[in-house]
Amino acid sequence: MGNFEPIIVAFCCHYCAYTAADMAGSMRLSYPANVKIVRVPCTGKVDVQHILQAFQNGADGVYVAGCLEGDCHFKNGNTKAARRVIYAKKLLNEIGLEEERVEMLLMSAGMGERFAQTAFEITEKIRKLGPNPIKKAKKS
Ligand code: FES
């Protein structure tokens, strides 16, 4: 597992995390290329099914990054997403995957540094967990 490079799917809200990722880029802050960003209009559009599908398609980790509490442009999309992430954790547990493979994060558009830092932290955490066992099972 020494040179395992995880694939991490980050569902990022257009108004905050996606802009924060952009800001990280303009501040010349690097973050791991392991993180594949999927821009969504609001994290409220991310369903449990999307999270599970990402794992099924080979992601080793998934995170959903939305606006800070009270700042969602669609009122409560971020709280809905947080509930769905909790449910996805439960489902992962049931199928024998570590629940730490999925997380919910909140940030503002100006948090470029936080975006980059979090991308490093999550990549490191997933690297320690190892490859998604579903991916291995699909290959064999
Ligand atoms: Fe950003 Fe809803 S608009 S999480």
Side-chain angles (χ1 to χ4, degrees):
M1 219 188 312
N3 52 4
F4 162 60
E5 284 301 333
I7 297 170
I8 295 158
V9 173
F11 291 102
C12 294
C13 164
H14 164 80
Y15 293 99
C16 55
Y18 187 81
T19 310
D22 240 13
M23 175 163 280
S26 47
M27 291 167 78
R28 300 187 186 277
L29 298 170
S30 64
Y31 60 87
N34 309 59
V35 176
K36 314 295 178 203
I37 295 177
V38 178
R39 178 163 63 164
V40 293
C42 168
T43 54
K45 295 298 275 181
V46 180
D47 214 339
V48 174
Q49 190 184 343
H50 299 127
I51 297 171
L52 298 181
Q53 216 155 24
F55 284 110
Q56 203 175 1
N57 291 335
D60 300 294
V62 173
Y63 64 93
V64 181
C67 298
L68 296 173
E69 230 176 289
D71 281 354
C72 174
H73 289 61
F74 299 91
K75 208 170 162 186
N76 60 356
N78 50 1
T79 53
K80 279 185 190 165
R83 281 200 301 269
R84 290 175 187 152
V85 166
I86 291 170
Y87 188 59
K89 281 177 176 284
K90 204 175 138 195
L91 293 176
L92 288 188
N93 262 327
E94 283 178 18
I95 61 169
L97 282 181
E98 302 88 350
E99 64 173 51
E100 296 84 5
R101 288 185 187 273
V102 60
E103 294 297 346
M104 177 80 202
L105 307 165
L106 301 177
M107 64 183 72
S108 72
M111 294 179 167
E113 268 179 60
R114 175 164 151 75
F115 183 90
Q117 180 63 32
T118 306
F120 275 110
E121 287 168 7
I122 291 186
T123 301
E124 203 41 50
K125 183 175 75 174
I126 302 298
R127 194 175 277 135
K128 282 183 187 147
L129 286 174
N132 165 4
I134 297 173
K135 187 161 65 177
K136 273 202 278 181
K138 271 177 94 176
K139 275 186 188 169
S140 53

